[in-house]
Structure formats: C-alpha cells, structure tokens
Amino acid sequence: MNDVAGATGGYVFFNEGQTPASAIVGKRSVPGPGTGSKLVIADKEGRTVWSRTAPAGQSMANFRVQTLHGKPVLTWWQGSLESGQSGVDYIANDHYQTIATIDAGQTPGANIHDFRLSDDGHAWITVYQPMKADLTSVGGAEEATMYDAVVKEVDVHTGNVLVEWHASQHIPISDSYITPSDTVDNSGGVYDPYHLNSISLASDGNMILSMRHTSTIYEVDPTTGAVVWQLGGKRSSFTLGAGVQFSFQHNAEMQDAQTLRLFNNNTDGETTNGASSIEWIHLDTATRTATSVRNQTHPGGVKSAAMGNAQLLPNGNVFGSWGTGAHIAEFTPSGQMVYDATLAPAGAYRAFYQQWSGTPLDSPDITISDDKKTLHAHWNGATRVAKWRVLHSTTATDLAPVTTADWRGANTAITLPESASGYYEIEALDASGAVIGRSVPVSA
C-alpha cells in the first residue's frame, strides 16, 4: 500500500475473497466456490482493525459506514452469489452487534448491488425479481423468464415497504445491450436486461439509478415512478458533449445538484469502449446538454470489467475500488494519485475511506507461538488501542509489566524478552496511556 499525502484519520472498508465477479469470462461473471469472503476494516498501511468471515456457502460485500437515526453504523450485504444474488442487508452498531436486517420481505431477498440508508431511517435496496416475459422483441422466446430490476424503500424499524419501483414498467427491454442469447452475469440462464447496480438519492429526493446492461443513468421520481431523465445508452435525454462517454458503469451519484459522478467501467470483459475511469459530468437540465467536467483514469492503466465505486471525501479527494482491476486508490481534485493499494486477486466490490470508532464487547485475547518467543495480542475491532502492555508472573496472580509494544493490527505480534514460561496477561492502552481492555491470564 502506498500513501503519499491522502486523507488521514480514517479506515478503509472493503470486502475481500469471494466477490460478485470473481472471474470474468466474456459477459459471464463466474462466482467462486463460496468460501473465503470477508469484510475488512483496515488502516491505510494495510493493518486489519476488524474482520468478519462469511458463513460457509455465503458471501459478503458492499461494506461501509452509514448513519441510522443520527448514529454511525456498519452496513453490508450477505447472501448467495448464485442466480439473482439473493440475501440479507445487515446493520451493526459500534459493538459489532447486528441491530437490524432487511431481506426485502420476499423471495428472492435483497440483491447484492446496493443498500442505502436515508436520514429518515429508511433503507433503499435492490431486488432482482424473476418474471415471465415475452422476449421475441429482443430475439428471445415468447415464453421466457427475465430479471426485473426492483427498487424498494423499506422502513428499517417496521420492515414496511414504502416504495416499490419496477424497471419493467418504465424501461423497455430493447434499451438493453444484452440479448437473451448472451450468457449474463450470475443469471443462471435468466435474461438480465437491466442489471441495476446502484441507487442514490438526489437533493430533491429523486432516485439516481445505474443500470449496467443499458449503460444508462436514470433519475426517477419515487412518488410517481416516472423516469425524469436518462443519461447515456440508446435513448439519452441529454446531448452528450465531447468527452462524455461511459458504459457498463457503477455507483452513480449526484455530487451536487448539477454534477453527476460515476465509476465508468467502460468494459464488460468482452467489449471494451475505452479506459476505466471515475467520471464527473455536468448536467444542464434546461438545455438538456451533458458536458465533461473531469475524467480520472488510473495511472497504471487499470481496467475494471465489473464492480467499482467512487467516494467523495470531505477534503475534496475521491476514493474507491477499481473492482476487478484489483486496486483501491485515492486522487486529489487535480488528479494526483495519493494512495494506491493492490487487492489481489479478485478486488473489492466497493471500497470506502471513513471515520469509525468501534468497541468490541469481548476482551483482548492472547496466543503464544510454538517456539515461545512471540506473544500475539488479539482484539478484533478495537479502534482506540495505541499500545499493548505485557504482564508476566510465575503464577496467575501478581503479574508485572515486562514489555510494551505499539498496536500493529487486530493481531499484534510482540517479541518476548525471553522464552515464554509461567503466565501472561495483556493490557490495551489508549493514546493517553489509560487501560481500556485487559485479557485473562494465560499459561505459556
């Protein structure tokens, strides 16, 4: 990991291992065996602060800090990467306890692609709903099955669905660049004409939706369901100015009332229309013209066939995952790359750089290496530890300090002054030297 002069004081949030696009073969995203998916909070040096591994057969992604009723919470998706990518959206508190789940209230459940909390305590989620359809207009069968792209607004407290929007009712499948004869991302053979992959809310409360398979961004009124405008694709509402070009994109958000920011994959693994980039586009809704503001490519020429995001940081920098390009990077407004991390082999669906303060409910723990020379201090998720103090005695009482070490991750290796014998205990110290956690004595 290389950090030149980027934003400081936060942590990197990402998923590793199993991803929604573990390998790309043409237009098919092939999931792996369903093992090794993990959520990670790390510092910019790559030291793990907290991690959680998915249960066997499940995957986890879309990991970040959001706010629920004014308090910071952790949110993520967990479920199956099989057809439809159906699962559950999770919300956890600063003790890493699950406090709410959203499952869409039906089968299939919540889809992996997005999960947004709004200030009113509501969740906006994606669902890929199988439906019967006549696909003859796009070269398919008269009686076939396709995925409808569904957006739901759900009250987190009650679970009530407040808004339910269906792409099939507003967007013709002929707008898709995918045909039924294509083998489509994680579809299990089901036609996927839309592939909705992000939801965000504009300042006026309208939804901003990104659909990969139409290469189009939509503004949608959630009250009426009407498409207010669409950008890109086959039927753009805007005239695209010089430099405005994107395809197979992810993570579209309005940076301000007239500026759209998105991650432009520009390739699906088979068709490549240019370099992957983070793109800013000015939208003049009066003249219906779109002009390029900035287009940030990775200096390493990284291409991302799937996944990816772009997060605006408080200092004006932009941070995010380059998806299957297996990089996490940060850029200044002038375009200088000030942070770059490699996350091989599969990359991360999204990556965020955010503030977080976590206090696990369990106590620190100790393990001692087989050669008795190294003690490992464990405390998964504790963000306030500055140093570890090691105490020792020949008995489990009257332990006295023998060494201290700086915190170097949730598993900090500490070299002992002499081969381990007797009993050991560790104390977690904060920046002021106060004890904030203590293990039970462990026999060497």
Side-chain angles (χ1 to χ4, degrees):
M1 293 195 174
N2 178 30
D3 188 4
V4 181
T8 58
Y11 298 108
V12 183
F13 293 75
F14 61 98
N15 68 286
E16 66 177 19
Q18 178 87 356
T19 71
S22 296
I24 299 295
V25 182
K27 292 182 179 177
R28 178 164 174 77
S29 170
V30 183
T35 60
S37 179
K38 183 186 292 186
L39 303 178
V40 180
I41 304 173
D43 66 12
K44 279 192 165 181
E45 295 180 42
R47 300 177 299 192
T48 297
V49 175
W50 177 83
S51 66
R52 175 176 292 180
T53 301
Q58 294 195 346
S59 295
M60 294 161 34
N62 214 0
F63 181 44
R64 66 187 300 185
V65 178
Q66 298 196 70
T67 301
L68 181 65
H69 302 308
K71 294 183 179 181
V73 291
L74 297 177
T75 64
W76 68 90
W77 175 90
Q78 181 174 316
S80 170
L81 291 184
E82 298 303 319
S83 179
Q85 300 170 337
S86 177
V88 175
D89 290 315
Y90 283 76
I91 303 175
N93 63 18
D94 59 352
H95 300 303
Y96 305 97
Q97 297 172 299
T98 299
I99 59 174
T101 57
I102 296 97
D103 63 1
Q106 65 180 53
T107 300
N111 178 265
I112 190 174
H113 282 94
D114 217 341
F115 170 31
R116 301 288 184 116
L117 294 178
S118 50
D119 294 339
D120 50 11
H122 297 169
W124 295 81
I125 67 173
T126 55
V127 178
Y128 282 18
Q129 180 67 54
M131 61 175 287
K132 298 299 181 182
D134 180 351
L135 303 182
T136 54
S137 64
V138 290
E142 183 176 356
E143 296 182 4
T145 303
M146 67 173 238
Y147 282 124
D148 192 1
V150 181
V151 177
K152 291 190 177 186
E153 180 188 12
V154 181
D155 186 303
V156 173
H157 178 66
T158 65
N160 292 336
V161 176
L162 308 173
V163 167
E164 184 169 326
W165 182 87
H166 292 252
S168 62
Q169 298 174 7
H170 301 277
I171 301 170
I173 59 175
S174 57
D175 282 3
S176 181
Y177 290 97
I178 301 297
T179 67
S181 61
D182 292 321
T183 303
V184 198
D185 296 359
N186 292 314
S187 68
V190 178
Y191 181 48
D192 184 8
Y194 305 117
H195 206 85
L196 171 67
N197 61 25
S198 80
I199 311 167
S200 62
L201 297 178
S203 57
D204 60 4
N206 282 354
M207 302 185 296
I208 305 298
L209 308 179
S210 167
M211 295 195 188
R212 172 182 172 91
H213 287 168
T214 65
S215 290
T216 303
I217 310 299
Y218 304 84
E219 181 178 29
V220 175
D221 184 330
T223 302
T224 66
V227 175
V228 179
W229 52 251
Q230 53 194 72
L231 178 71
K234 296 180 179 180
R235 297 187 301 119
S236 181
S237 306
F238 294 84
T239 300
L240 307 185
V244 179
Q245 181 275 323
F246 58 87
S247 56
F248 312 113
Q249 75 291 329
H250 285 73
N251 193 214
E253 304 192 24
M254 296 302 296
Q255 182 164 306
D256 56 48
Q258 292 183 301
T259 307
L260 177 74
R261 184 184 69 252
L262 56 85
F263 185 83
N264 177 19
N265 297 82
N266 237 1
T267 179
D268 67 349
E270 181 178 83
T271 301
T272 299
N273 297 317
S276 297
S277 65
I278 300 169
E279 192 167 345
W280 290 256
I281 301 168
H282 179 266
L283 302 178
D284 188 325
T285 54
T287 63
R288 293 286 174 160
T289 56
T291 54
S292 177
V293 176
R294 176 181 161 199
N295 192 49
Q296 178 69 63
T297 58
H298 192 287
V302 177
K303 290 184 175 64
S304 175
M307 311 189 295
N309 75 299
Q311 174 200 5
L312 181 67
L313 300 181
N315 67 352
N317 287 4
V318 65
F319 184 96
S321 167
W322 287 69
T324 58
H327 280 256
I328 296 171
E330 178 184 344
F331 301 89
T332 66
S334 66
Q336 179 189 9
M337 187 171 71
V338 291
Y339 177 80
D340 189 41
T342 302
L343 192 64
Y349 177 52
R350 288 180 173 141
F352 298 90
Y353 186 67
Q354 298 176 291
Q355 301 290 323
W356 176 249
S357 178
T359 306
L361 293 178
D362 57 357
S363 300
D365 193 16
I366 297 172
T367 57
I368 296 173
S369 63
D370 292 341
D371 62 8
K372 307 292 186 180
K373 295 180 180 179
T374 305
L375 178 147
H376 290 263
H378 307 270
W379 205 8
N380 192 32
T383 59
R384 295 193 299 124
V385 183
K387 291 182 179 292
W388 290 106
R389 183 158 59 201
V390 180
L391 298 88
H392 173 257
S393 177
T394 56
T395 67
T397 59
D398 301 321
L399 287 88
V402 294
T403 189
T404 61
D406 291 338
W407 177 92
R408 293 187 296 274
N411 178 359
T412 296
I414 303 170
T415 301
L416 296 172
E418 56 187 42
S419 292
S421 63
Y423 289 82
Y424 290 86
E425 185 179 63
I426 52 171
E427 294 176 332
L429 310 179
D430 67 12
S432 69
V435 177
I436 58 174
R438 180 181 286 110
S439 72
V440 299
V442 172
S443 176

